[in-house]
Amino acid sequence: MAAKPSAIPLLAPYKMGKFDLSHRIVLAPLTRQRSYGNVPQPHAILYYSQRTTKGGLLIAEATGVSDTAQGYKDAPGIWTKEQVEAWKPIVDAVHAKGGIFFLQIWHVGRVSNSGFQPNGQAPISSSDKPLTPQRRANGIDVAEFTPPRRLRTDEIPQIVNDFRIAAKNAMEAGFDGVEIHGAHGYLIDQFLKDQVNDRTDQYGGSLENRCRFALEIVEAVSNEIGADRVGIRLSPFANYGECGDSNAEALGLYMAESLNKYGIAYCHMVEPRMKTVAEKVETPQSLLPMRQAFKGTFVAAGGFGREDGNKAVEEDRADLVAYGRLFLANPDLPRRFELNSPLNKYNRDTFYIYDPVIGYTDYPFLDSHHSVA
Ligand SMILES: Cc1cc2nc3c(=O)[nH]c(=O)nc-3n(C[C@H](O)[C@H](O)[C@H](O)COP(=O)(O)O)c2cc1C
């Protein structure tokens, strides 16, 4: 007799605090730039519900916490009443299918320009170090950045508070929790990493000081909505947006250990092999020390397929595995992994276009009459 297909480690149930997950395959946060005017749109109802399974965890795309948080056209926000209302039917659709839905909340910091900022002001950051123009992930456009303004020490509590309010708004919209975006060179990472952070106040210098802003946000958000509804994403090894660290391992470990005192739902880390957003490289570095230091649920992401995802769970290197591009292109990814079916290929050219259907909700499901009885 063949083994039951559900015997694969990725399909084993998992209890994440109060949430009963039916499997380990998580939808990674994916910016899609289809929230016109920063307001989530009805076409996101279909997009997210296509990727929902009963008991599956989904993390919604990076969503701005305030009007200074934005740096990408048509990325969603959650600081206005209109945005909160617009999220509600999307969350309801995911819940109707039994999904567990966290919202990723972010502030881009200096990865912005004055065109995205209120009154055309300079973006804010930990530093006033400018970011050189970068080719966008679509490989064509070049993003231009306005040199940032260094936040004054006395302004920092206001930004922490913006994250708190965003989390409160996410609860009002019906989300099950929030994921604080501390990865990929955005504002929180601009504080964490010594390539950017050149502050001399209590938010810069030592590891403890550079991690203070992130941990104050974790604390404020946890106090607001309950730690059991809070996750954080970190990418200690990445250096996107000229935001690297001279000792990534020490940084990751310090954060993993410090997070333990808040009892948050999960810590989500990006694999060191993701040296650029799109490419895997061989590296001897590993998330294992952080996985072992962190006491809660550990989510790993970055370059996983079916086989190495199964291995990560089996070898206890992660509790959950988040899939980005494969889930983007395969709305029924958990089912395809279960059946070990071929996967749709993703099309990079349509990742960030504004079309409400193309490259968004038109990736095909497994044809039901091709599946085995
Ligand atoms: C189109 C696209 C949008 C992304 N948007 C986000 C985002 O909003 N927040 C985030 O933390 N990571 C984002 N990422 C990174 C993914 O969550 C993921 O970490 C990355 O794609 C590597 O995982 P994968 O190999 O499974 O795709 C994005 C990646 C892609 C391809």
Side-chain angles (χ1 to χ4, degrees):
M1 284 256 301
K4 284 208 333 229
S6 63
I8 66 169
L10 281 170
L11 289 171
Y14 178 78
K15 198 165 166 51
M16 182 176 82
K18 65 165 126 192
F19 301 107
D20 286 311
L21 307 185
S22 63
H23 60 80
R24 316 291 184 106
I25 304 160
V26 178
L27 175 66
L30 294 165
T31 293
R32 306 307 312 276
Q33 296 187 240
R34 285 154 167 93
S35 298
Y36 313 137
N38 309 130
V39 179
Q41 298 294 309
H43 46 248
I45 297 172
L46 180 59
Y47 171 74
Y48 282 109
S49 65
Q50 283 180 334
R51 285 158 184 76
T52 304
T53 48
K54 191 168 159 39
L57 175 62
L58 297 84
I59 305 164
E61 65 211 82
T63 296
V65 299
S66 70
D67 64 354
T68 65
Q70 301 295 86
Y72 295 82
K73 186 170 158 46
D74 298 329
I78 191 141
W79 71 89
T80 72
K81 183 87 189 132
E82 184 189 10
Q83 292 162 345
V84 173
E85 292 305 314
W87 275 114
K88 284 182 181 174
I90 304 166
V91 179
D92 288 347
V94 169
H95 284 161
K97 290 180 76 178
I100 293 138
F101 204 12
F102 275 52
L103 179 68
Q104 191 185 53
I105 51 175
W106 75 342
H107 193 301
V108 301
R110 68 175 186 166
V111 188
S112 186
N113 64 49
S114 52
F116 289 108
Q117 297 297 319
N119 310 314
Q121 68 191 35
I124 54 171
S125 182
S126 62
S127 167
D128 51 17
K129 284 187 203 166
L131 189 52
T132 48
Q134 283 175 7
R135 202 163 290 281
R136 288 279 192 203
N138 65 16
I140 303 160
D141 304 333
V142 174
E144 301 278 354
F145 306 102
T146 303
R149 180 178 72 78
R150 179 194 308 272
L151 281 165
R152 294 191 314 269
T153 310
D154 68 341
E155 293 176 295
I156 291 177
Q158 183 57 51
I159 312 298
V160 173
N161 196 49
D162 288 340
F163 275 87
R164 181 186 67 77
I165 293 169
K168 181 169 180 266
N169 289 346
M171 291 300 102
E172 196 194 324
F175 282 100
D176 297 292
V178 299
E179 175 174 290
I180 297 162
H181 194 345
H184 296 162
Y186 299 110
L187 183 63
I188 293 173
D189 214 19
Q190 292 158 29
F191 275 83
L192 294 174
K193 304 275 180 70
D194 62 9
Q195 187 183 352
V196 182
N197 187 333
D198 56 356
R199 303 179 71 88
T200 54
D201 63 1
Q202 67 267 35
Y203 293 95
S206 66
L207 197 47
E208 186 186 357
N209 281 355
R210 283 185 279 123
C211 295
R212 189 180 309 282
F213 179 59
L215 295 171
E216 285 182 356
I217 291 171
V218 169
E219 183 169 21
V221 168
S222 297
N223 287 342
E224 181 65 41
I225 66 171
D228 53 355
R229 295 186 181 280
V230 179
I232 186 168
R233 193 176 220 211
L234 298 167
S235 59
F237 295 96
N239 53 13
Y240 321 147
E242 296 160 25
C243 195
D245 197 81
S246 59
N247 193 346
E249 178 127 342
L251 173 62
L253 210 47
Y254 180 86
M255 281 300 293
E257 282 163 358
S258 305
L259 288 169
N260 284 331
K261 68 170 173 284
Y262 304 99
I264 58 172
Y266 68 84
C267 175
H268 182 178
M269 284 204 185
V270 178
E271 289 284 337
R273 63 185 170 188
M274 299 311 288
K275 281 294 175 216
T276 72
V277 190
E279 255 166 273
K280 277 204 277 196
V281 293
E282 286 293 325
T283 166
Q285 296 166 316
S286 155
L287 297 180
L288 199 55
M290 292 124 229
R291 193 293 189 264
Q292 287 165 344
F294 183 66
K295 303 278 186 280
T297 296
F298 194 82
V299 187
F304 284 99
R306 181 179 189 269
E307 202 169 320
D308 60 350
N310 275 326
K311 240 175 104 192
V313 173
E314 190 167 39
E315 294 172 356
D316 204 28
R317 286 184 283 114
D319 298 304
L320 307 174
V321 180
Y323 289 87
R325 292 163 293 177
L326 293 186
F327 221 148
L328 185 157
N330 293 274
D332 50 358
L333 189 66
R335 180 163 159 77
R336 288 182 195 239
F337 280 174
E338 178 177 8
L339 300 173
N340 203 11
S341 310
L343 301 177
N344 300 327
K345 289 204 168 25
Y346 54 81
N347 178 7
R348 201 183 300 278
D349 297 341
T350 57
F351 280 175
Y352 304 104
I353 64 171
Y354 59 83
D355 196 282
V357 175
I358 298 167
Y360 194 53
T361 51
D362 63 351
Y363 282 105
F365 284 74
L366 274 179
D367 192 340
S368 53
H369 56 253
H370 286 321
S371 65
V372 282

